[in-house]
């Protein structure tokens, strides 16, 4: 290791802000992914079963999701503008299906899930993102502590 000067106050503030940013982004993103997975699991276990009649699609970079009207099998629950989450990748040029049966509505009534939805992957990705965020923040904190106390650079 080479010796270097201790960090100035401004540099310590910048590193501290980097730590806070890393924690917020990774833990927030990780919790968001995990929450989506757990919401899907809960919907698949407890949500009302019904049919989604697609009316539109919402496309991202890789694939699209169907948006439509959900009607429960017994007709007691109807919800519009429901986003469907499933394992089938929908492309921009795929024809719109007439109706998708066996769909379960989430409690928030904004998302529905098919039985092939894999809820474990978002939970695992969320946990991994949280662990990476904690590791980055810990590394930055150790760097800040080392440079503050000894005057050595890494």
């Amino acid at each position: 290791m080479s010796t270097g000067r201790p960090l100035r106050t401004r540099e310590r503030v910048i590193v501290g802000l980097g730590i806070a940013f890393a924690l917020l982004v990774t833990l927030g993103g990780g919790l968001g992914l995990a929450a989506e997975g757990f919401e899907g699991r809960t919907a698949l276990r407890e949500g009302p079963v019904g049919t989604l009649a697609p009316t539109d699609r919402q496309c991202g970079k890789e694939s699209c999701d169907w948006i439509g009207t959900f009607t429960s099998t017994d007709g007691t629950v109807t919800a519009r503008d429901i986003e469907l989450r499933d394992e089938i990748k929908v492309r921009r040029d795929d024809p719109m299906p007439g109706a998708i049966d066996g769909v379960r509505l989430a409690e928030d009534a904004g998302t529905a899930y098919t039985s092939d939805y894999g809820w474990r992957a978002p939970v695992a990705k969320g946990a991994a993102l949280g662990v990476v965020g904690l590791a980055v923040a810990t590394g930055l904190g150790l760097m800040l502590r080392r440079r503050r106390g000894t005057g050595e650079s890494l």
Side-chain angles (χ1 to χ4, degrees):
M1 285 191 200
S2 64
T3 55
R5 64 172 174 71
L7 292 175
R8 295 183 190 143
T9 302
R10 181 184 305 169
E11 293 168 333
R12 283 192 304 241
V13 168
I14 291 171
V15 172
L17 289 173
I19 292 170
F21 181 74
L23 283 173
L24 285 174
V25 169
T26 56
L27 292 178
L31 287 174
L33 279 170
E36 176 192 328
F38 287 128
E39 178 188 61
R41 184 183 94 179
T42 302
L44 290 172
R45 288 183 177 176
E46 301 168 5
V49 179
T51 302
L52 183 86
T55 56
D56 199 6
R57 73 184 86 210
Q58 180 179 7
C59 296
K61 289 182 180 180
E62 296 178 14
S63 66
C64 301
D65 293 320
W66 295 118
I67 306 293
T69 301
F70 174 86
T71 306
S72 64
T73 305
D74 61 5
T76 59
V77 179
T78 302
R80 296 183 186 279
D81 297 325
I82 302 299
E83 181 179 349
L84 180 65
R85 303 247 171 100
D86 63 358
E87 289 297 314
I88 299 172
K89 299 295 181 194
V90 178
R91 295 182 306 225
R92 292 180 192 273
D93 58 347
D94 284 350
M96 193 173 301
I100 302 170
D101 294 323
V103 174
R104 289 195 175 256
L105 187 64
E107 188 175 299
D108 71 358
T111 311
Y113 299 88
T114 59
S115 61
D116 65 351
Y117 174 75
W119 62 269
R120 288 177 181 91
V123 170
K125 288 177 185 176
L129 188 58
V131 168
V132 167
L134 288 174
V136 168
T138 301
L140 287 172
L142 290 174
M143 180 190 76
L144 180 64
R145 184 175 175 195
R146 176 179 272 172
R147 296 271 320 257
R148 185 184 315 161
T150 65
E152 294 179 357
S153 66
L154 295 176

